[in-house]
Structures are given as C-alpha cells and as structure tokens.
C-alpha cells in the first residue's frame, strides 16, 4: 500500500508538472483508500508494471478502455491515458465501495505484439503462475442437426439436414434460434420458426433428426483458447486448478475463466487491437518520410484539421467512425470538440438509435431543436449534469450523478441503482424506486417531478453507455482521425498494410486514396 501511494503521488506530479491541484490530491487519496481497503494494491502495481514494460519495449498501448478510465490512480500510474477529472469520468463506475467486485482493467496492445506481453508476464511472475484460459465450444443448432442426420441416415442425411437448416429463421447477430426455442411458445423467436416446425411435424425423417439433435444441443464439442484472457496467481496454479498442456507446449487452465475467478484467481485481458498496429505503422512512416516524431500521449484534442475532416464525414478508415451511417451522423452533428466524439461513440448503438437520441443530440447541438427540461423543477438541478449532452441522458455516469444530486445517494449506492435499472427486474425496481422517491421528496421535489424523472431515465438505463469506455475509444478514434487529416499518405499506407489480407476492404480504402 505504501509503495502504491508513493507511485501514485509521483505519477501525478509527472502528469501535472505545473503543480498538482488540491482536487486531484483529494480524489487520489479517496481512490487509494478504497483500493487498499479492498486489498487491490498488488493488482494495480502489476498492471502498471505490464504497461510500463510495453512502453519501454516500444509496444503501442491503448489509452484505456472500459470503466478503468474513470480511475485517477490508473491515470497517475499511466495504466490509462485520459484525465478522468477533466473528462468527468467516475471512479465508482469502476470500483464501487459498496459492492465486492474484482477490478477489471482490459489492456489493449499492438495486435502483432500481444504474444510478447504474455511472454513478459510469464517470465517475470513465473510460468507456473500464469496461464491462458480455456474456452469450450458447444454444439449449436446447425451442427446438432448435421451430426444427428449423419448418424441416423449416413450420406443421404446431408440433404435432409440441409432442408431443415434452410427452413430455420435467419440468424440474428450471427446466432441461430436454439432448437429448444423452435418448439417453446415462450421463446421470443417462436413465431419466426413456423416453417421449420411444420417440416418437423409432417416429415418422419426430419422428426427423428430433430429429436436426437435436441439431446446434443449445448454439449461441449471441443476446447480452445480464449482470445484474450490470462489467469494470474500468487501461488503455483497446479495447486489450485487443473491445467492442460497443448501440443504447442502452451499451458492452459482446465477451467473457464468464470470458474477461475470464482475461487479467487485473477483474470486479466490482454487484447490485441488492430488499430494500434495501424497507428504504430503510420507513426513509423511519418518518421521515415518527414523526420517528424509524433507523441500521441502529449497530443491536445483540439486540432482544427481533424474536426474539419469529421464535419465533412470524411472518416472512412477512422477507428469506430468508419461506417456509412456513422459518417452521415457526423455530418449532421458537425462535431466541434472531443466531447462530441465521445458522445457519438455512445449514441451510435441500437438502444439510443431506437429512441432517436443520436439525431436529437445532433439537432440540439446545432440549434435545430429546442432543449426541453425533463420537468420544470428539475431544469436547474440537472443543468450542469446534462449540459454537455444538450439535456439528453447519454451516459451511465449521468444516471449516477442525477441520483446523487436530487435523491441524496452516495456514488456507490447510485452505481447499485444504475445496475438495477439496467437489469429491469420488476420487484428490484419497485424497491429501488421507493428509495429514490423518498430521497427526492426529502429534497423538496414534488411527486410529479419524481415520476417524470424516473420515467425518463428508466428506459435509458438499459442502454446508456459507460462514458469511461466511450472516452477511451473516442481517443483512439481522435488519434486515427488526426493522422488521416494531417498525414494522409502515411496513415492510409498503414491502413492498407493492415487490410492487405482482405480484398473488399483493400478496394474500399484504395478508392479512398485515389
């Protein structure tokens, strides 16, 4: 704990060379208190050590993703690269004093060098204490039908299986309807499966295949390696869990990561992010071409060329801002500051778009739509919290700040409320509403104001976005937009290298270059 305290204070002094303001000191002390009380100093020191090694080895790292970007301690230790106070990010969204949960810091590395990071961790902390994680592949709808047909009917079974597969409703988000859902009237996609149901009910062979397939569905077919999770332990893993040595010599846990976490082992995510590879290549190109050194960590987020590029919707090849509909939204929104890039990352998702929040944000920002208060009594109290999003609820953090401001919640309690609202369980919500209501009434608000506010934030809680995550991704988006706007040839060359194995994408980006 003492070591962590020392590292954080010297880190803050390094981050703020003109002197550390009182508010930063207080926030750091508060966060450290929570971290020490929960017994996590070692976790932060190890994560900081991994990040420091990556930077020293010249491996590009992301600015932080997920809720960890809300921690000033993580910023001081250079685990994350966004000042949470400047961007209004909340520590309690990451580590909640009122809830027992492991911290979860995902680390993004240059895609090609992720293996080096795992190797470094293994060499430093001991190969007997670190392992990659197993994942189990299960038998899904189509595979179950195919296997069952092959066993019952041999070669002719293939054409019958094909007939059943073709009758299935189309997959949603790459997932097929489960076999059980086809015959379960309560399943949300039951109605779409009428065709395949008829086939099974009227054709004897199809019925035989279907009945056997139902027994196979969900069984484990094979074991693989999780794409990013790594388990770390303070004692040899052999004493705690079964291990599996694969043919290539790598050691993998015999349990999946939720089971490992359940007995107190630590999971860390080492993610390979292709965009960091592109950024690294672009910076090398700029050095070779123009002799300039670009330090993204010190880059201000106010470059006029970058915003001009976004206003034109010229963001093909920019991280997270690449698609056609996204580029239309940027033209509508005409972003003028970093907070607009954060907002667009949070708004361009199915939930907010279904409620038209993305267009409302763009219209309110450009004075095409008036800002309506949720309720006259709430206009003043919520002004500051909703100002940056033009009176709209966009982030989970805003829901927490609203509960703190008008219902007298502590930040930890507000995070519990946010989770409950997101889960939409009726009895839990009724209990939460009581507390929320009495808190607001004690603060002198009317019953109408309470109801109006609850009805406004409840639908949003399900898909309000974690601002810390949106801000981390917005920064990578800003970096790529900055490079494209100011060093177009070098950036596009790096992008083309990255998609060299994909004919369709290469064609799109080549025509963009022309």
């Amino acid at each position: 704990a003492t070591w962590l305290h020392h590292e954080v204070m010297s880190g803050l002094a390094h981050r703020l060379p003109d002197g550390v303001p009182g508010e930063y000191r207080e926030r750091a002390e508060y966060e450290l208190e929570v971290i020490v009380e929960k017994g996590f100093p070692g976790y932060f020191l190890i994560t900081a050590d991994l990040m420091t090694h990556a930077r020293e080895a010249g491996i590009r790292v992301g600015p932080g993703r997920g809720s960890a970007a809300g921690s000033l301690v993580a910023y001081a230790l250079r685990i994350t690269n966004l000042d949470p106070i400047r961007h209004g990010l909340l520590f309690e969204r990451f580590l909640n004093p009122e809830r027992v949960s492991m911290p979860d810091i995902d680390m993004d590395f240059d895609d090609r060098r992720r293996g080096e990071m795992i190797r470094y961790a293994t060499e430093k902390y001991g190969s007997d204490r670190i392992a990659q994680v197993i994942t189990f592949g299960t038998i899904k709808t189509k595979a179950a039908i195919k296997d069952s047909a092959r066993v019952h009917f041999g070669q002719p079974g293939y054409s019958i299986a094909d007939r059943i597969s073709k009758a299935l409703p189309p997959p949603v988000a790459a997932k097929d309807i489960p076999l059980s859902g086809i015959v379960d009237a309560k399943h949300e996609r039951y109605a779409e499966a009428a065709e395949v149901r008829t086939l099974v009910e009227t054709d004897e062979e199809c019925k035989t295949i279907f009945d056997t397939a139902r027994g196979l569905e969900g069984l484990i077919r094979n074991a693989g390696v999780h794409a990013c999770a790594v388990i770390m332990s303070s004692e040899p893993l052999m004493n705690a869990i079964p291990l599996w040595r694969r043919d290539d010599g790598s050691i993998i846990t015999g349990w999946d990561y939720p089971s490992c976490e359940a007995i107190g082992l630590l999971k860390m995510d080492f993610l390979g992010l292709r965009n960091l590879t592109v950024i690294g290549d672009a910076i090398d190109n700029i050095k070779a071409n123009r002799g300039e050194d670009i330090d993204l960590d010190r880059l201000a987020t106010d470059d006029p060329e970058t915003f001009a590029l976004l206003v034109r919707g010229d963001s093909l090849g920019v991280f997270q801002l690449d698609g056609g509909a996204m580029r239309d939204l940027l033209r509508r929104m005409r972003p003028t500051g970093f907070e607009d890039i954060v907002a667009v990352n949070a708004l361009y998702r199915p939930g907010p778009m279904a409620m038209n929040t993305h267009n409302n944000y763009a219209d309110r920002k450009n004075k095409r739509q008036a800002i309506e208060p949720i309720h006259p009594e709430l206009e003043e109290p919520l002004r500051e919290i909703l100002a940056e999003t033009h009176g709209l609820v966009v982030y989970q953090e805003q829901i927490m700040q609203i509960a703190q401001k008008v219902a007298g919640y502590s930040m930890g309690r507000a995070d519990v409320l946010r989770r409950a609202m997101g889960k939409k369980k009726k009895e839990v919500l009724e209990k939460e509403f009581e507390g929320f209501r009495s808190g607001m009434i004690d603060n002198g608000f009317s019953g109408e104001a309470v109801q109006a506010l609850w009805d406004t934030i409840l639908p949003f809680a399900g898909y309000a976005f974690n601002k810390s995550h949106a801000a981390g991704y917005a920064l990578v988006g800003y970096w790529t937009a900055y490079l494209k706007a100011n060093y177009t040839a070098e950036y596009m060359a790096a992008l083309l290298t990255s998609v060299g194995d994909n004919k369709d994408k290469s064609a799109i980006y080549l025509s963009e270059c022309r």
Side-chain angles (χ1 to χ4, degrees), residues 138-299:
T138 53
I139 301 179
K140 308 270 190 325
T141 311
K142 281 184 184 140
I145 292 168
K146 228 185 241 150
D147 289 355
S148 159
R150 195 175 60 233
V151 169
H152 281 296
F153 301 106
Q155 201 58 41
Y158 282 111
S159 59
I160 313 170
D162 208 41
R163 257 174 54 219
I164 303 176
S165 293
K166 285 206 170 79
L168 288 169
V172 168
K175 273 201 176 96
D176 277 310
I177 179 171
L179 292 167
S180 53
I182 294 171
V183 289
D184 171 15
K186 288 198 192 69
H187 194 275
E188 59 204 36
R189 303 197 61 200
Y190 177 79
E192 297 171 52
E195 187 189 343
V196 74
R197 256 197 313 281
T198 314
L199 188 63
V200 168
E201 283 157 11
T202 54
D203 182 315
E204 209 38 59
E205 288 176 333
C206 292
K207 184 173 169 25
T208 310
I209 290 173
F210 185 79
D211 290 343
T212 304
R214 282 201 61 185
L216 294 176
E217 185 175 40
L219 296 179
I220 288 172
R221 149 163 280 171
N222 55 13
V225 181
H226 193 282
C228 49
V230 174
I231 289 287
M232 304 180 83
S233 163
S234 56
E235 55 171 293
L237 280 168
M238 198 76 104
N239 303 346
I241 52 169
L243 295 173
W244 165 41
R245 186 193 291 278
R246 296 184 73 209
D247 300 342
D248 61 5
S250 56
I251 301 287
I252 312 293
T253 64
W255 290 352
D256 61 1
Y257 77 81
S259 311
C260 292
E261 283 190 315
I263 63 162
L265 290 167
L266 176 71
K267 170 187 80 100
M268 281 196 169
D269 281 330
F270 288 53
L271 298 135
L273 191 61
R274 201 171 186 159
N275 290 80
L276 293 174
T277 313
V278 175
I279 289 169
D281 282 356
I283 287 173
D284 294 345
N285 292 346
I286 294 164
K287 178 76 174 155
N289 243 8
R290 314 191 188 200
E292 289 180 41
D293 286 306
I294 305 279
D295 180 7
L296 293 178
D297 294 347
R298 299 234 175 269
L299 191 67

Side-chain angles (χ1 to χ4, degrees), residues 426-453:
K426 199 165 179 262
E427 59 282 1
V428 180
L429 279 175
E430 281 167 5
K431 202 175 112 218
E432 283 296 341
F433 177 66
E434 274 318 301
F436 186 76
R437 187 191 152 84
S438 62
M440 277 187 75
I441 297 228
D442 289 348
N443 281 340
F445 291 99
S446 69
E448 291 79 67
V450 176
Q451 201 58 54
L453 180 58

Side-chain angles (χ1 to χ4, degrees), residues 13 42 66 107 148 158 172 189 218 297 346 361 374 404 473 492 495:
M107 296 174 280
S148 159
Y158 282 111
V172 168
R189 303 197 61 200
D297 294 347
Y361 182 100
I374 293 170
Q404 183 190 31
Y473 268 12
M492 293 310 284
L495 193 59

